[in-house]
Amino acid sequence: MTSLQIPLVDLRAQHRVLRDELDAAIQRVLEGGKFILGEEVESFESEFAAYVGTAGAVGVASGTAALRLALLACGVGPGDDVVTTAHTFIATVEAICHVGARPVFADIDPATYTIDPAHVEAVLTPRTRAILPVHLYGHPAAMDALEELCAHRSLSLIEDAAQAHGAEYRGRRCGSIGRVACFSFYPGKNLGALGDAGAVTSNDEELLIRIRRLRDHGRTEKYLHAEIGYAERLDAMQAAVLRAKLRHLDEWTIARRAHARHYSELLNETELQLPHEAEGARHAYHLYVIRSEQRAVLCEQLRCAGVASGIHYPVPVHRQPALRGMAASNALLPHTEAAAAEVLSLPLYPELRSEQIEFVANCVRRAS
Ligand SMILES: *Cc1c(COP(=O)(O)O)cnc(C)c1O
């Protein structure tokens, strides 16, 4: 068994199964001759909006672009504060900086790794304009409490759903709860393109119109530009691929959840902290993340056994050199710091086989 090589994610396994569907989708775009926006993009947008459960979706160039355009459309700009988490991929915070606003960090709930609404309330300022929770690893943030905070103060609630395709919170899909939500289709995400891609979802038609305009040079007609916008459109090739893959997303999420349950059964007797699914939450398991004080040893033993693992994320955003002097980065975030030192992601993808999960779990058990 020691010759088993188990990667963190295996996109080739997925693409082998979908070969014919992807070939057909790509062929259709080649023959259609339309490569930027167009029918293929519009079809994906309506199919994805139906999937998430919103009035509409706007396809954009990446998850980062989705975040930036969503913030702009909510009117966030210089002089504004946006409360978010430092336990995330840097793009969440970059987008806040791109629009000229200031990120303010609230700590996480150590059980779910998502932003703690009580701490959000504690860091609100008169300048706070929006709250930007991340459904990290595929676990929904505590949206009820965040919605209430926003409603009382007329703040925009912007979801970073880049890791949460198919996740649900009290019966609602992630991406349909806030004023606006942002998805990434980076190849390794639960729904991944064959390159960069993203989408914004919302029930607010005016907001969707504004984002459609912003992604395409502020255009209202062919050579008429109502405002200075961006070149952040979704292309037809990625849209066609995403349409083919979207039909499989539900079965993939079910497989991810089954694999996570299998891991948790096998690791139940260890001292490790295992992923937690809060009441009312449906975890989409973008990542299966455990926690260990012996992370470095564990990681090395897995590597020796041919098992990949990852750290999401080793340096919290408020500690990044890029944020020096910019954010209110002196924030005290003890749960964020502790998580960054201890989290470890195990291999997880829909095509993972039972014997591979057993092999990984045995390695983890032996090492811990
Ligand atoms: C991947 C990711 C993004 C950025 O998406 P890109 O498509 O890579 O620009 C933003 N936020 C989170 C939490 C992510 O995981």
Side-chain angles (χ1 to χ4, degrees):
M1 280 292 266
T2 46
S3 62
L4 252 183
Q5 295 292 316
I6 307 180
L8 202 55
V9 189
D10 187 358
L11 294 176
R12 286 171 312 171
Q14 182 187 85
H15 295 151
R16 237 176 269 131
V17 178
L18 297 188
R19 186 67 188 260
D20 291 345
E21 289 163 68
L22 296 179
D23 279 351
I26 291 166
Q27 206 53 43
R28 200 170 63 231
V29 175
L30 284 178
E31 274 161 27
K34 172 90 183 153
F35 297 101
I36 302 288
L37 297 177
E39 260 175 52
E40 206 67 59
V41 171
E42 283 164 25
S43 298
F44 172 67
E45 288 174 340
S46 46
E47 288 160 15
F48 191 65
Y51 181 85
V52 173
T54 53
V58 183
V60 295
S62 67
T64 309
L67 286 160
R68 176 168 51 241
L69 300 184
L71 284 159
L72 285 170
C74 287
V76 177
D80 295 332
D81 284 351
V82 178
V83 179
T84 192
T85 167
H87 188 58
T88 182
F89 180 58
I90 193 165
T92 314
V93 178
E94 261 178 328
I96 296 169
C97 299
H98 288 161
V99 304
R102 185 177 69 148
V104 173
F105 297 109
D107 209 356
I108 54 166
D109 168 349
T112 65
Y113 303 105
T114 61
I115 202 165
D116 173 3
H119 197 222
V120 171
E121 187 165 15
V123 299
L124 291 174
T125 70
R127 292 164 34 147
T128 306
R129 191 69 185 264
I131 299 177
L132 207 178
V134 180
H135 305 304
L136 199 72
Y137 308 148
H139 190 288
M143 297 303 283
D144 278 354
L146 297 175
E147 274 188 296
E148 200 173 306
L149 284 178
C150 287
H152 285 163
R153 296 169 180 79
S154 303
L155 308 177
S156 292
L157 183 55
I158 304 173
E159 297 172 69
D160 182 339
Q163 302 189 1
H165 323 67
E168 290 170 21
Y169 180 79
R170 301 196 196 283
R172 289 186 288 171
R173 280 254 158 89
C174 286
S176 70
I177 305 165
R179 182 177 182 203
V180 60
C182 308
F183 286 90
S184 165
F185 308 118
Y186 185 85
K189 299 289 159 82
N190 288 19
L191 177 63
L194 303 181
D196 276 312
V200 178
T201 54
S202 178
N203 286 314
D204 182 334
E205 296 284 2
E206 271 176 48
L207 208 73
L208 292 168
I209 290 170
R210 177 89 196 283
I211 291 167
R212 251 182 217 114
R213 197 165 79 190
L214 281 170
R215 76 173 164 181
D216 191 22
H217 302 289
R219 193 190 315 257
T220 43
E221 285 171 45
K222 185 152 190 193
Y223 289 117
L224 198 62
H225 305 270
E227 62 181 320
I228 296 297
Y230 299 83
E232 288 182 331
R233 301 158 298 211
L234 180 62
D235 66 75
M237 201 68 95
Q238 300 308 340
V241 165
L242 288 166
R243 289 181 71 196
K245 288 197 180 190
L246 180 58
R247 295 184 201 113
H248 299 274
L249 182 55
D250 278 336
E251 79 204 46
W252 291 337
T253 306
I254 289 167
R256 285 176 181 279
R257 289 176 54 77
H259 298 339
R261 208 177 317 119
H262 195 179
Y263 268 134
S264 292
E265 281 161 12
L266 296 169
L267 297 175
N268 204 13
E269 314 262 281
T270 62
E271 304 274 281
L272 301 161
Q273 183 186 318
L274 304 180
H276 170 75
E277 192 172 51
E279 201 212 315
R282 181 178 193 252
H283 200 318
Y285 286 102
H286 172 56
L287 294 168
Y288 184 88
V289 177
I290 60 173
R291 237 175 121 149
S292 165
E293 286 173 21
Q294 314 301 325
R295 178 174 68 189
V297 179
L298 187 51
C299 196
E300 180 55 20
Q301 304 233 356
L302 286 170
R303 200 186 59 76
C304 290
V307 175
S309 60
I311 299 174
H312 302 92
Y313 298 89
V315 181
V317 177
H318 69 296
R319 297 272 177 211
Q320 292 290 348
L323 269 283
R324 204 179 295 128
M326 187 187 298
S329 54
N330 51 354
L332 282 175
L333 306 170
H335 294 304
T336 295
E337 309 248 351
E342 295 179 5
V343 289
L344 188 71
S345 309
L346 300 182
L348 183 65
Y349 46 92
E351 299 77 13
L352 199 61
R353 298 189 310 271
S354 276
E355 65 267 26
Q356 293 177 305
I357 294 170
E358 281 152 20
F359 182 81
V360 174
N362 276 334
C363 294
V364 172
R365 273 204 304 248
R366 264 199 307 275
S368 53

